Amino acid sequence: MTHFRPKDEVELVGIVQQALATEEPMELVAGGSKRSLGRPMQLPHVLDLSGFCGVQVYEPEELILTVGAATPMAEIERTLAGAHQMLAFEPGDWRALLGTADKTQTLGGVLSCNIAGPRRIRQGAARDHLLGFHGVSGRGESFKAGGKVVKNVTGYDLCKLMAGSYGTLAALTEVTVKVLPYPEATRTVALKGLAVDAAVKAMIQAVGSSHELGGAAHLPAVLSPTGAAMTVVRVEGPVPSVEARAVALRDELSGFGAAEIIDNDASLPLWQTFRDIMPLASPADAAIWRVSIAPTDAPALVDTLSRALDLRYFLDWGGGLLWLAVTGASDGGATAIRSAIKSGHATLIRGGDGLRAAVPVFQPQNPTVAALARRVKDSFDPERIFNRGRMYGDV
Amino acid sequence: MRMPAPDETVIARREAIAADLSRIVAADAVILPEDERRAYESDGLTAYRQLPLLVVLPSTTAEVAAVLRYCQKEGVKVVPRGAGTSLSGGALPLADGIILGLGKFNRVLEVDYDNRCAVVQPGVTNLGITTAVQGRGFYYAPDPSSQIACTIGGNVAENSGGVHCLKYGLTTNNVLGIEMVLINGEVLRLGGKHMDAEGYDLLGVMIGSEGLLGVVTEVTVRILPKPTTARAVLMGFPSNGSAGDCVAAIIGAGIIPGGMEMMDKPAIHAAEAFVHAGYPLDVEALLIVELDGPPAEVDHLIERVEAIGRANSAVSCRVSNSEAERMVFWAGRKAAFPAVGRISPDYYCVDPTIPRKRLADVLERMTQIATKHGLRVANVFHAGDGNLHPLILYDANKPGELDAAEQVGSEIMSYCVEVGGVLTGEHGVGVEKRDLMSTMFTEDDLNQQLRVKCAFDPDGLLNPGKQFPQLHRCAELGRLHIHHGQVPHPGIERL
């Protein structure tokens, strides 16, 4: 196996051209914290993009940040914190979940996996914040798309394709993202002891209110540090605003029981545990699934799956995101989970190589959509040089 | 504007094609007579006109699929059309292509308040969605100024914005799913009521693809609870620079207003003369900053914005104390286009986005460019996101003035790209900016976009002549140029 580590785009183009000439695919890595996401690959080469690193332009007042794609998240967060800003899509740090605590998480990795935290319901996902990029396609051509301003419709929005393509279309070298002010204050309104159907009803009511929710999650009793189920909703903003909204939410949700207001300092770590999927990090041998559904489908799905599988779960995105930890099922629960989903999809986020090779990691697609996706892959990487087989057998 | 040379053999078959299509859709859904086709000869970019081959108005997804399948088989070009409000010529017809009008797809199919979404047909107007959900306190956030007329299908094609998109996003951030038809007649569903795509974000690339990738037949949009309060501050500044500084200071202070609009002196005077909004006339620039959300937040932030304005040399400052007063503040801005229409027989508007820090410089350069061509410019612009809307004033009856106006627009857009901006923030490329694409993109950049186009539409039948300065054959674009057995960079570091 050869480990290529280009120091600039010219070298990167050369490496890809060479891979095309020898028809040998390669695995794209940077910090290496998410190598176990997707289908297992046994590729002859590693393309290490960690050289594309560093903050290039940060203009807080323009709300944009341009960095080398492999810039570590820690550096990004430190840089943004200096101007009280953030990546509003609240990407999680999944290293504890994936057992890669010794690795580095990079912005390019976060974008390629389209990771988004609890604030997704208000501010969108990684896909909504990637404004532009430079990269090299699997054709060995250097190209760019998008721009370095927050509002742009010039040309196809290839940024959307890059987000969530798991490095199968292009090797990103530079990315420009939209950044937003970090909220001055946070409050959480917490309900105790709700069953999942009541919890989803409470979240739907809260998110549908005019209080501009920045998070709504439900943690069942078995995972709760207090021993009682917690249903929590978050408001963010200036101090007078969050105080008024938290009180209003507490009163409006009183039909679901007595609600408690959690202050700023206790709120921040609480939401970080949801963001980082900490409730399900251990035991390390459970299969972890991320299930994206319409919020109202959540209670019935949880009910069905709880009967079929040995599982623990929590809900984020007001019920629209179901995180599952399944133990004891030979297929990790794939069949039961996918047959129970009415509309939406399930992704196997953690599982051994054997499991990830045996069951589809990504939701199998309708044949028409799958064929279109293959043609899109062809348009960037016709020889399947980048991350061959990471998403689907032929993509 | 040069369009692809029409295929005379297709034009010669006009009546036969009409007869064939009449067997696919209802006979009265195929428009053949020239006087009836004329209604479709232009869109919002009225400088360009072209009679279409035919107009077809299908009623169902199955009909759209059958029409497209037929067109692919027969090699007939297709221009999809919503309400025809595009400002960039996205729906400009082709002499050898049909207009596929989606006007009959005008129903709201479902409103799902619990999942905060609405499923609508593409011909529903943007405002029609809000109208359908406002009874329960919800609305659809993107609000292009044509929202009374423009359709959600057109919004998807153009990735439309509006005055509130800094805070609430463009169309792409507010659509959860679509049903669409490929040129080969295949019907696809992308997304749904859940929040993210499985696999590649094909929905994301469809939004803003200007009718070149597929035809949208159903849209699932996110709806939001309407903000309880909105208040606006109206501030006048002694220079464009100080107004720009104020905008930067507001955002630097961590405030993202619901709307933040700026007008320059010619626009202020035109608007004031038209609607008498009480705008100050002795200032160089006017800023309207609107805060929306919970009352406690709005009241708190409005004081901070006022203070920031004073610190940035605002010479006048008024805060709206009633809904009526807020509407008056907006009246002038919203009427800016017709107001400019009163001081000039014609105007031409482009919409580049710039880094805001270059504002004063770009405005000055615009005046120079216009003066050089003997024209004037009035400016309104979405200050929060740097999206300019220079209105270039001209008289179409004076020989050469339209050409001069287009030249001014082109030079302004090129300069905006030069300072780090982009050609279009919300109106789209269409035919208008097609030939300027190479100021922003290299040939490799454009070829990669074209290859994505080939993945959807291999024969290039959907809306050709738009967006890309050159037509290419997909087979040529797909060819790889590699040197078998050669190692281009043998000296590369290996670990």
Side-chain angles (χ1 to χ4, degrees):
Chain A
M1 175 179 294
T2 314
H3 188 124
F4 296 101
R5 188 177 183 277
K7 66 176 187 312
D8 57 30
E9 215 166 79
V10 174
E11 277 194 6
L12 173 56
V13 166
I15 292 164
V16 178
Q17 289 277 354
Q18 179 180 300
L20 284 166
T22 56
E23 295 172 21
E24 291 183 326
M26 42 197 169
E27 178 188 358
L28 274 56
V29 301
S33 68
K34 299 186 194 65
R35 287 178 85 170
S36 65
L37 285 185
R39 301 171 75 246
M41 299 177 292
Q42 294 293 331
L43 304 182
H45 304 300
V46 167
L47 177 54
D48 178 350
L49 298 164
S50 58
F52 297 93
C53 174
V55 173
Q56 292 167 13
V57 182
Y58 175 36
E59 293 178 336
E61 288 158 358
E62 304 283 343
L63 302 174
I64 64 130
L65 171 71
T66 300
V67 298
T71 306
M73 284 300 287
E75 188 180 341
I76 306 262
E77 280 161 11
R78 205 165 45 238
T79 303
L80 295 177
H84 304 289
Q85 291 191 333
M86 62 174 181
L87 297 175
F89 56 98
E90 204 178 10
D93 179 347
W94 291 2
R95 289 177 298 175
L97 181 76
L98 299 175
T100 53
D102 57 330
K103 302 292 183 189
T104 303
Q105 173 160 251
T106 68
L107 180 57
V110 161
L111 294 168
S112 296
C113 302
N114 193 28
I115 292 177
R119 209 181 284 110
R120 168 70 176 98
I121 56 170
R122 168 153 205 81
Q123 296 285 8
R127 70 174 306 259
D128 297 291
H129 296 257
L130 178 58
L131 299 172
F133 68 90
H134 270 264
V136 172
S137 70
R139 307 172 50 88
E141 289 171 1
S142 170
F143 75 107
K144 68 172 184 300
K148 293 181 181 176
V149 292
V150 295
K151 191 174 178 191
N152 174 23
V153 298
T154 321
Y156 294 139
D157 192 352
L158 301 186
C159 294
K160 296 287 183 296
L161 277 180
M162 291 301 125
S165 64
Y166 290 80
T168 59
L169 299 179
L172 298 177
T173 56
E174 179 197 285
V175 293
T176 297
V177 287
K178 179 178 177 178
V179 295
L180 283 169
Y182 190 86
E184 190 180 306
T186 300
R187 296 287 183 277
T188 304
V189 178
L191 289 157
K192 259 191 213 149
L194 298 187
V196 63
D197 50 349
V200 170
K201 282 201 178 80
M203 291 192 287
I204 284 171
Q205 184 185 326
V207 182
S209 76
S210 60
H211 302 303
E212 300 192 346
L213 257 66
H218 172 69
L219 195 62
V222 64
L223 291 175
S224 170
T226 65
M230 289 175 72
T231 308
V232 286
V233 297
R234 175 171 68 177
V235 286
E236 299 174 301
V239 173
S241 170
V242 294
E243 288 185 339
R245 285 145 70 203
V247 168
L249 274 165
R250 184 186 62 193
D251 296 347
E252 287 168 25
L253 294 174
S254 61
F256 294 94
E260 179 199 354
I261 294 176
I262 301 174
D263 69 13
N264 189 75
D265 293 350
S267 285
L268 300 181
L270 173 68
W271 289 96
Q272 196 166 324
T273 63
F274 292 119
R275 186 197 78 174
D276 297 345
I277 330 301
M278 291 309 292
L280 301 179
S282 66
D285 60 349
I288 302 290
W289 292 86
R290 181 183 177 281
V291 184
S292 183
I293 47 173
T296 51
D297 289 347
L301 184 60
V302 166
D303 185 54
T304 305
L305 294 177
S306 299
R307 286 169 214 245
L309 298 167
D310 178 7
L311 68 78
R312 289 166 309 134
Y313 77 93
F314 76 90
L315 289 169
D316 197 351
W317 297 0
L321 186 67
L322 170 62
W323 283 97
L324 299 170
V326 178
T327 46
S330 61
D331 68 347
T335 311
I337 292 165
R338 292 203 166 116
S339 60
I341 295 173
K342 281 195 296 185
S343 163
H345 57 92
T347 309
L348 178 59
I349 295 294
R350 187 179 76 188
D353 282 1
L355 178 62
R356 287 183 295 116
V359 307
V361 168
F362 294 89
Q363 182 90 10
Q365 292 184 309
N366 158 300
T368 316
V369 176
L372 178 59
R374 268 198 304 278
R375 296 198 297 273
V376 169
K377 167 79 173 173
D378 284 338
S379 74
F380 286 90
D381 181 17
E383 301 297 323
R384 308 296 197 261
I385 293 296
F386 290 160
N387 282 352
R388 182 182 290 179
R390 188 164 190 182
M391 294 185 76
Y392 305 99
D394 48 2
V395 168
Chain B
M1 176 56 52
R2 217 169 60 83
M3 293 303 281
D7 183 338
E8 294 298 336
T9 63
V10 169
I11 295 174
R13 287 162 55 214
R14 186 193 316 271
E15 285 179 17
I17 293 168
D20 289 346
L21 289 171
S22 301
R23 284 188 283 275
I24 295 173
V25 299
D28 63 357
V30 177
I31 297 173
L32 180 62
E34 185 177 326
D35 57 334
E36 290 177 43
R37 277 187 281 137
R38 195 159 296 284
Y40 296 85
E41 70 177 354
S42 178
D43 61 10
L45 185 68
T46 50
Y48 302 117
R49 286 166 200 278
Q50 170 61 56
L51 273 177
L53 179 73
L54 293 167
V55 178
V56 184
L57 305 171
S59 303
T60 64
T61 300
E63 286 183 0
V64 171
V67 169
L68 292 179
R69 210 163 23 239
Y70 171 84
C71 288
Q72 188 181 42
K73 186 167 130 276
E74 300 293 326
V76 177
K77 294 164 189 155
V78 180
V79 177
R81 181 181 169 110
T85 57
S86 168
L87 293 172
S88 57
L92 179 71
L94 298 167
D96 59 344
I98 65 163
I99 285 281
L100 187 69
L102 278 300
K104 290 184 177 174
F105 285 75
N106 59 3
R107 287 185 307 133
V108 174
L109 300 174
E110 184 194 357
V111 179
D112 182 344
Y113 293 103
D114 282 353
N115 291 315
R116 296 176 302 283
C117 62
V119 184
V120 303
Q121 292 188 317
V124 172
T125 61
N126 172 292
L127 196 60
I129 301 175
T130 292
T131 306
V133 301
Q134 66 188 5
R136 289 270 298 266
F138 284 80
Y139 78 120
Y140 175 63
D143 56 346
S145 57
S146 55
Q147 70 181 147
I148 296 172
C150 68
T151 64
I152 187 66
N155 290 180
V156 168
E158 301 292 330
N159 191 12
S160 307
V163 297
H164 290 96
C165 58
L166 182 66
K167 184 170 175 185
Y168 296 102
L170 295 135
T171 303
T172 190
N173 313 108
N174 289 280
V175 169
L176 294 171
I178 55 171
E179 177 191 73
M180 61 171 284
V181 188
L182 293 172
I183 186 72
N184 65 7
E186 288 181 329
V187 180
L188 278 68
R189 278 192 172 273
L190 302 174
K193 291 182 179 179
H194 52 286
M195 287 217 197
D196 57 1
E198 95 278 348
Y200 293 148
D201 191 352
L202 301 170
L203 171 62
V205 81
M206 270 299 293
I207 297 174
S209 61
E210 304 194 10
L212 273 79
L213 299 184
V215 176
V216 173
T217 48
E218 187 189 293
V219 188
T220 302
V221 298
R222 236 157 62 99
I223 53 172
L224 298 178
K226 202 168 177 332
T228 4
T229 329
R231 291 178 73 192
V233 195
L234 187 70
M235 294 186 280
F237 292 87
S239 69
N240 289 319
S242 54
D245 290 344
C246 181
V247 172
I250 290 168
I251 287 173
I255 301 168
I256 302 293
M260 183 147 55
E261 295 292 306
M262 189 169 149
M263 298 165 73
D264 71 359
K265 194 167 190 175
I268 299 166
H269 283 251
E272 183 58 23
F274 186 35
V275 299
H276 311 294
Y279 288 170
L281 296 174
D282 55 348
V283 297
E284 288 297 317
L286 189 71
L287 209 53
I288 305 173
V289 184
E290 179 164 292
L291 284 309
D292 64 1
E297 179 166 322
V298 171
D299 293 345
H300 170 74
L301 291 181
I302 213 115
E303 284 177 24
R304 289 183 58 193
V305 166
E306 228 185 317
I308 292 168
R310 294 196 192 286
N312 283 277
S313 48
V315 290
S316 71
C317 186
R318 282 168 62 198
V319 177
S320 72
N321 283 310
S322 67
E323 192 57 11
E325 195 171 13
R326 184 179 74 88
M327 299 313 280
V328 170
F329 286 5
W330 277 108
R333 167 61 184 88
K334 292 200 166 163
F337 283 41
V340 163
R342 288 173 78 236
I343 60 168
S344 171
D346 298 284
Y347 61 86
Y348 171 56
C349 175
V350 290
D351 71 316
T353 305
I354 54 162
R356 271 185 287 96
K357 63 181 177 199
R358 302 300 300 265
L359 177 67
D361 157 38
V362 169
L363 292 183
E364 196 185 319
R365 184 62 168 262
M366 275 186 197
T367 308
Q368 289 169 5
I369 293 170
T371 308
K372 183 176 77 183
H373 292 278
L375 298 178
R376 289 177 302 149
V377 183
N379 265 288
V380 297
F381 99 98
H382 302 315
D385 43 36
N387 189 200
L388 306 171
H389 285 69
L391 299 158
I392 302 155
L393 315 182
Y394 71 99
D395 183 349
N397 288 327
K398 289 189 186 157
E401 282 217 347
L402 170 61
D403 289 345
E406 287 184 346
Q407 185 58 32
V408 169
S410 167
E411 288 181 32
I412 287 172
M413 288 188 276
S414 299
Y415 187 65
C416 290
V417 171
E418 201 180 309
V419 302
V422 298
L423 290 173
T424 171
E426 56 184 3
H427 296 169
V429 175
V431 292
E432 183 191 43
K433 297 152 193 129
R434 185 191 70 187
D435 296 337
L436 291 172
M437 286 290 269
S438 54
T439 62
M440 219 177 122
F441 296 114
T442 66
E443 193 180 349
D444 281 351
D445 298 340
L446 290 173
N447 283 348
Q448 187 51 58
Q449 296 198 24
L450 279 163
R451 284 187 201 102
V452 170
K453 156 89 171 162
C454 292
F456 285 79
D457 175 25
D459 303 323
L461 291 172
L462 279 169
N463 222 0
K466 317 289 171 71
Q467 228 178 19
F468 296 104
Q470 285 174 310
L471 296 173
H472 282 281
R473 285 180 201 280
C474 289
E476 277 165 31
L477 283 165
R479 217 166 281 144
L480 269 171
H481 302 284
I482 51 169
H483 315 284
H484 280 274
Q486 285 179 29
V487 180
H489 291 268
I492 284 164
E493 179 187 10
R494 294 170 193 221
L495 303 176

